[in-house]
């Protein structure tokens, strides 16, 4: 499950159709760990808590040892879930929002997870759109 935008769900958030009524929206990109979101939605910290809990339960489950598991999700949930595994944990976005269909491969041995490939794309890089943008409002 991706970031819950609450009453802001479905509002435009790109520069050419910006509709989010939040004067602090750019914090979502510039200081995501402190972004609070909509009054009835989630904060980035909330997303981190639930996705890290999910990931830790998954890798600790003995039924999944020696199995290949695919998790498909959106950029914010992915960055939140994998933050404890990143080399630079202080950079929430890791310099960019993951590109559409990007693949990160995690190897788990003895309950310890390690990233072996990060944000790999298997298509023409010129087709990538970088959503990591501070909006000029």
């Amino acid at each position: 499950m991706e970031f819950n935008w609450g009453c802001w769900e479905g509002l435009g958030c790109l520069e050419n159709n910006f509709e989010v009524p939040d004067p602090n929206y750019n914090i979502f990109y510039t200081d995501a760990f402190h972004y609070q979101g909509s009054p009835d939605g989630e904060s980035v910290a909330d997303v981190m808590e639930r996705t890290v809990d999910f990931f830790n339960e998954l890798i600790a489950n003995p039924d999944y040892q020696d199995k290949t598991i695919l998790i498909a999700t959106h950029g914010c949930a992915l960055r939140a879930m994998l933050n404890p595994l990143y080399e630079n944990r202080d950079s929430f976005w890791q310099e960019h929002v993951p590109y559409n269909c990007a693949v990160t491969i995690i190897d788990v041995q003895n309950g310890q997870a390690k990233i072996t490939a990060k944000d790999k794309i298997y298509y023409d890089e010129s087709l990538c759109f970088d959503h990591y943008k501070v909006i000029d409002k």
Side-chain angles (χ1 to χ4, degrees):
M1 190 165 69
E2 176 59 326
F3 190 90
N4 178 356
W5 288 99
C7 62
W8 299 345
E9 193 70 45
L11 297 180
C13 61
L14 298 177
E15 199 161 19
N16 64 345
N17 74 335
F18 191 81
E19 301 171 314
V20 178
D22 182 3
N24 298 312
Y25 177 78
N26 282 327
I27 292 173
F28 184 64
Y29 295 104
T30 61
D31 188 14
F33 294 110
H34 296 103
Y35 187 67
Q36 292 303 305
S38 73
D40 62 338
E42 288 183 294
S43 68
V44 170
D46 294 334
V47 177
M48 287 185 70
E49 183 177 338
R50 72 174 165 77
T51 58
V52 168
D53 286 350
F54 162 77
F55 184 76
N56 288 335
E57 287 175 24
L58 184 71
I59 67 171
N61 187 327
D63 293 338
Y64 298 135
Q65 303 307 308
D66 300 322
K67 303 282 192 253
T68 299
I69 299 169
L70 171 69
I71 299 171
T73 190
H74 294 263
C76 184
L78 178 73
R79 290 295 193 236
M81 179 172 56
L82 298 183
N83 183 267
L85 303 181
Y86 292 136
E87 227 174 274
N88 180 4
R89 294 179 189 155
D90 294 332
S91 173
F92 180 83
W93 289 109
Q94 299 293 301
E95 311 315 322
H96 68 92
V97 175
Y99 298 126
N100 285 340
C101 303
V103 174
T104 295
I105 300 171
I106 311 295
D107 187 38
V108 180
Q109 299 289 325
N110 302 317
Q112 298 298 311
K114 180 181 178 186
I115 295 174
T116 58
K118 179 178 156 193
D119 297 342
K120 249 182 110 115
I121 56 169
Y122 294 91
Y123 57 91
D124 184 345
E125 191 171 341
S126 71
L127 300 173
C128 293
F129 178 79
D130 189 357
H131 289 276
Y132 184 77
K133 296 186 185 225
V134 174
I135 304 299
D136 186 21
K137 300 179 274 179

